Amino acid sequence: MSGKLDVVDQFLPLGTAQNAVLQTPAIGLPERHAGMAATEAAARAAPLQFDVVVLGNGPAGLATALSLCRTAPALRVAVAAPKASDDPRIGESASPAIEPLLRQLGVLDQFIAQTHRPAFNAAAAKGSLQPLANEFFFNPHQHAWRLDRPKFDRMLADAAHDAGAAMLPGRFTEATMGDDERWHLSIETRLGPRPLQAGFVVDATGHRAAFAAQAGVRPVAHDALVGAVRFF
């Protein structure tokens, strides 16, 4: 991990509780359990320190974390989001333009190896009932892609983790700007609230814009278009 912080589900550095118990001589089993619990509680109460926290583990958030780690390896970067499921999700297709982006991220070979299905054309109706076809054969990359989104997202998550990003499984709940001019955040984990601190926060939580909304940022609507999605 190149010296980066790798956070497990319990948010406790591996071996901390065990070492605390082994260094306590001649105590009984109940006391050992109590010591371990106290050590874990203290570890969870101390804020984890990062330079950048990315909220959201979709392609935008994971690509951001991966780019930061690759561009500036000394940065302490974390991705905080609930654990992704394997359910179908919106965004199952990608244009031919995704290939140079994946090459820039250093994951094009991994993407190709996942055997996503190529798509050679697409049809869409815009402003009328007459669909217009887009033939990707005339594109320099010749075809688009039908994505297996859970597999695609796992690939990006693995690449971000391998590049040095800490993966924090938890749901963002609140954030305030501290007197130290750092963001003080809290995420809800399976073990309860977990505090984080960061100099910068990237909101990649999608249309919810959880962090931006809490910070008072108002969305700007440029048109009245709406989208409807159905899996079949």
Side-chain angles (χ1 to χ4, degrees):
M1 290 293 297
S2 302
K4 294 298 186 67
L5 177 62
D6 186 14
V7 183
V8 298
D9 284 348
Q10 292 84 1
F11 301 104
L12 184 66
L14 188 62
T16 301
Q18 292 89 331
N19 289 341
V21 172
L22 293 176
Q23 293 171 5
T24 305
I27 58 177
L29 188 58
E31 289 82 358
R32 290 187 180 184
H33 286 308
M36 291 177 65
T39 302
E40 292 176 357
R44 289 195 301 270
L48 295 174
Q49 301 290 334
F50 298 100
D51 298 305
V52 183
V53 168
V54 179
L55 300 175
N57 58 358
L62 294 170
T64 299
L66 177 55
S67 295
L68 287 170
C69 290
R70 291 267 173 84
T71 304
L75 284 178
R76 298 169 298 171
V77 179
V79 177
K83 185 178 180 180
S85 72
D86 288 334
D87 295 335
R89 60 195 75 159
I90 297 171
E92 71 285 359
S93 60
S95 78
I98 194 175
E99 289 193 32
L101 297 176
L102 295 175
R103 183 178 292 108
Q104 181 179 347
L105 289 171
V107 295
L108 181 58
D109 290 342
Q110 295 94 310
F111 173 77
I112 298 298
Q114 288 189 313
T115 63
H116 298 279
R117 296 174 58 188
F120 296 95
N121 61 20
K126 299 181 180 179
S128 73
L129 297 179
Q130 183 64 35
L132 299 176
N134 186 0
E135 299 291 343
F136 297 128
F137 178 78
F138 300 103
N139 186 282
H141 301 287
Q142 296 193 335
H143 62 80
W145 294 93
R146 304 287 185 196
L147 300 181
D148 180 332
R149 270 295 304 280
K151 185 187 296 184
F152 178 71
D153 289 3
R154 283 196 299 271
M155 176 202 69
L156 289 177
D158 290 343
H161 179 270
D162 291 343
M167 313 305 287
L168 310 181
R171 180 178 58 85
F172 165 74
T173 55
E174 61 180 345
T176 57
M177 175 60 75
D179 295 336
D180 54 359
E181 297 187 351
R182 288 174 58 80
W183 286 104
H184 295 227
L185 305 97
S186 179
I187 60 173
E188 186 67 29
T189 76
R190 67 184 183 87
L191 296 177
R194 187 66 171 96
L196 316 173
Q197 291 184 13
F200 297 90
V201 177
V202 177
D203 189 340
T205 57
H207 71 278
R208 294 189 305 113
F211 174 81
Q214 191 175 114
V217 177
R218 292 181 174 275
V220 177
H222 293 284
D223 53 47
L225 289 176
V226 297
V229 178
R230 180 180 179 183
F231 291 101
F232 57 89

